[in-house]
Amino acid sequence: MTSETTRPTSETTPHTFQVDLRGLVDLLSHHLYSSPRVYLRELLQNAVDAITARRAEEPDAPTRVRLFAEDGRLRVEDSGIGLTESDVHSLLATIGRSSKRAGADGIASARADFLGQFGIGLLACFVVAAEIRVVSRSARTPDAPPVEWSARDDGSYTVRTLPDSARPEPGTTVHLTARPGSGDWLTEERVLALARDFGSLLPYDVRVGDTAVTDLPSPWDRAHPGPAARRVALARHCHELFGFTPLDSLDLNIPLAGVRGVAYVLPQAVSPAQRSGHRVHLKGMLLTDRADELLPDWAFFVRCVIDTDSLRPTASRESLYADETLAAVREALGARIREWLTALAAGDPERLAQFLSVHHLGVKSLARHDGEMLRTMLPWLPFETTDGSLSLEEFARRHPVVHFTRTVEEYRQVAPIASAQGIGVVNGGYTYDTELVEKLPSVRPGTVVAELDADTVTAHLDTVDPNAELALAGFLAAARAKLDPLGCDVALRAFHPLTVPALHLDDRAARHERSRAEAEEQADDLWAGILGSLRGSAPRARLVLNHLNPLIRRISSLDDRELAGTATEALYGQALLMAQRPLRPADSALLNRAFVGLLEWATHDQENGR
């Protein structure tokens, strides 16, 4: 934006922005900023930057920011560098120009101390204001008279010089008049709440009326009588800020990354997909409370509040710019959390156990990619096993071979039988568990890890006396014929617990072969030929009948082969349900058929008086 004229004058002269200001306000409020609340951050930022600029030249200059709200109006006063009339024309009325740019104020070396970078400045206040009036006096040019800049949301503005009495001291005063419907944003209560949210860590004296806004030193830098008192104070701060009492807190003081702050450990488990709401202050000013990109994905069990002078904000100053600096800070913060976990494992196993009982998933996620962390956490991370909830370290000491299943369903169908047969099995069906079990030999040399398959389980079951199995050959042949269309074989074994009549064993190879066969049946001739060429050698599911179970003995001795076949289908369906496996349409149809068949058999016998 440029004005129609830039000649100095003591008279009120109309000028016009060379942009559609209404369209700009719509852009700011609906696209750039997430909420009108950012108007106050822009005002605080301008005031703080002006003070920073003045102190670069006058180290003893005052550092005051005062806000006064009443009746839909807001006045913000600062003791900063101030502006001349020339500055007003070149800075307040030009989009993209910033008073912090090198050459604009002659203090390029201090530019890193400024909060603002994009020169949008006061225009953001039009989101809530119908009129903005700025009265300023330059500290750099003390002989220049005070200057007034007044702008309306219709795109017009005026500039005029004022008598010395209008602003005797250097600095700037901003007056806002609320837009219709935006008066609530300029009430003292709302202004105080916003000022505290945005500016509680600012290094200068900021007040709303007589109420202090800044609260320094920051919570993580305050002195306390001892570690316990500090932990209580930080827990109180966490509850005020995030609404929960943390399991623990850890310092994030990383000078090389330009970061100071604290991380709070959540007291309950959360989903890894849940994005974290970290609070990031930039040189004391709150930038965002939703910085979900601040930490590595695996660190979803903490909420952070930090102050930084190294990260870059986006144009809206409501999120972080994704660059190499952010990546380096993310890595440094992740390393700090790893160090904390390692220290807990070495010196405070009780607190570590409490933490892992809630957040083992996050640590497992980290351990997948960090061999040292896996080695450190090996004695502590819990896994579901046939021996109960154990660490992999303890489980590997008990069993020469660490068998595991890839799905929860596979584990459920074999766990009771495997446990009775002395086979140690780890349930790898939960998030990250299979990956960690497979990495076990890399951090524990000599450990043997093997995926549990149907053949392994069957091999551990006791065989039946050949004569007894031969006597049941007819029944077994009929049972195999019944289940053959489902891609399932039938075997007879003796195993404990004897209360289990039948065991359905399945593995990935068998499921893959069934899926291939089903696809082949539904495909056209070309695809059927291709799928047929992929046919496996003999991967099939297996229904293992327990010869020790009384029900199996009675069914196998039935003379009615049709009834024996129906009973076999019922055993197959019951084994699937016990394993909590998802049922295919063919399985559901079989269950219905078996149920109806058994009902017909029972009612038929009753009708015949049997």
Side-chain angles (χ1 to χ4, degrees), residues 452-519:
L452 189 69
D453 56 24
D455 289 338
T456 302
V457 177
T458 305
H460 280 78
L461 303 180
D462 294 335
T463 58
V464 178
D465 179 79
N467 293 327
E469 187 166 3
L470 182 62
L472 300 177
F475 164 72
L476 293 175
R480 289 173 182 135
K482 273 287 185 182
L483 299 185
D484 184 69
L486 298 172
C488 182
D489 288 333
V490 177
L492 186 66
R493 292 290 189 274
F495 56 87
H496 292 275
L498 56 83
T499 54
V500 177
L503 173 66
H504 183 269
L505 296 179
D506 203 359
D507 53 32
R508 285 190 303 162
R511 290 194 296 274
H512 175 75
E513 174 59 21
R514 281 201 307 273
S515 298
R516 185 210 59 78
E518 290 170 1

Side-chain angles (χ1 to χ4, degrees), residues 34-77:
S34 62
S35 166
R37 68 196 298 267
V38 298
Y39 88 91
L40 194 70
R41 184 195 61 204
E42 296 293 341
L43 290 172
L44 287 176
Q45 176 179 290
N46 286 342
V48 169
D49 284 347
I51 293 172
T52 302
R54 183 175 179 185
R55 286 176 66 84
E57 299 182 359
E58 304 176 40
D60 296 330
T63 59
R64 296 187 305 272
V65 181
R66 298 290 183 266
L67 298 92
F68 303 93
E70 185 178 5
D71 298 331
R73 296 177 182 273
L74 176 65
R75 184 173 84 254
V76 182
E77 301 175 354

Side-chain angles (χ1 to χ4, degrees), residues 475-476 478-483 486 488 490 501-503 543-546 549-577 587 590-602 605:
F475 164 72
L476 293 175
R480 289 173 182 135
K482 273 287 185 182
L483 299 185
L486 298 172
C488 182
V490 177
L503 173 66
L543 182 68
V544 183
L545 303 178
N546 187 1
N549 181 267
L551 177 62
I552 294 298
R553 295 195 174 214
R554 288 198 297 271
I555 292 174
S556 62
S557 63
L558 289 173
D559 295 329
D560 187 337
R561 290 306 175 196
E562 182 177 349
L563 176 58
T566 300
T568 301
E569 290 180 331
L571 289 170
Y572 172 84
Q574 189 262 353
L576 286 180
L577 294 175
D587 297 330
L590 175 142
L591 273 172
N592 290 332
R593 185 170 62 248
F595 179 71
V596 171
L598 291 176
L599 284 178
E600 289 180 346
W601 178 80
D605 284 351

Side-chain angles (χ1 to χ4, degrees), residues 294-323:
L294 184 65
L295 294 182
D297 290 341
W298 54 263
F300 52 82
F301 50 83
V302 299
R303 295 290 180 270
C304 297
V305 52
I306 68 166
D307 188 24
T308 177
D309 54 18
S310 62
L311 299 177
R312 291 175 56 196
T314 58
S316 67
R317 290 191 286 278
E318 293 188 280
S319 59
L320 297 171
Y321 190 80
D323 57 8

Side-chain angles (χ1 to χ4, degrees), residues 73-76 92 122 126 129 131-136 147-152 158 160 162 172-177:
R73 296 177 182 273
L74 176 65
R75 184 173 84 254
V76 182
L92 293 183
L122 287 174
F126 278 121
E131 182 180 353
I132 303 173
R133 185 165 66 91
V134 178
V135 177
S136 186
V147 60
E148 178 190 74
W149 178 86
S150 296
R152 298 190 60 82
T158 61
R160 63 172 180 164
L162 302 175
T172 300
T173 301
V174 179
H175 302 262
L176 300 186
T177 302

Side-chain angles (χ1 to χ4, degrees), residues 386-387 398-401 403 415-425 460 496:
T386 49
D387 292 352
R398 296 186 182 187
H399 299 277
V401 178
H403 289 101
I417 310 304
S419 179
Q421 310 306 313
I423 308 173
V425 184
H460 280 78
H496 292 275

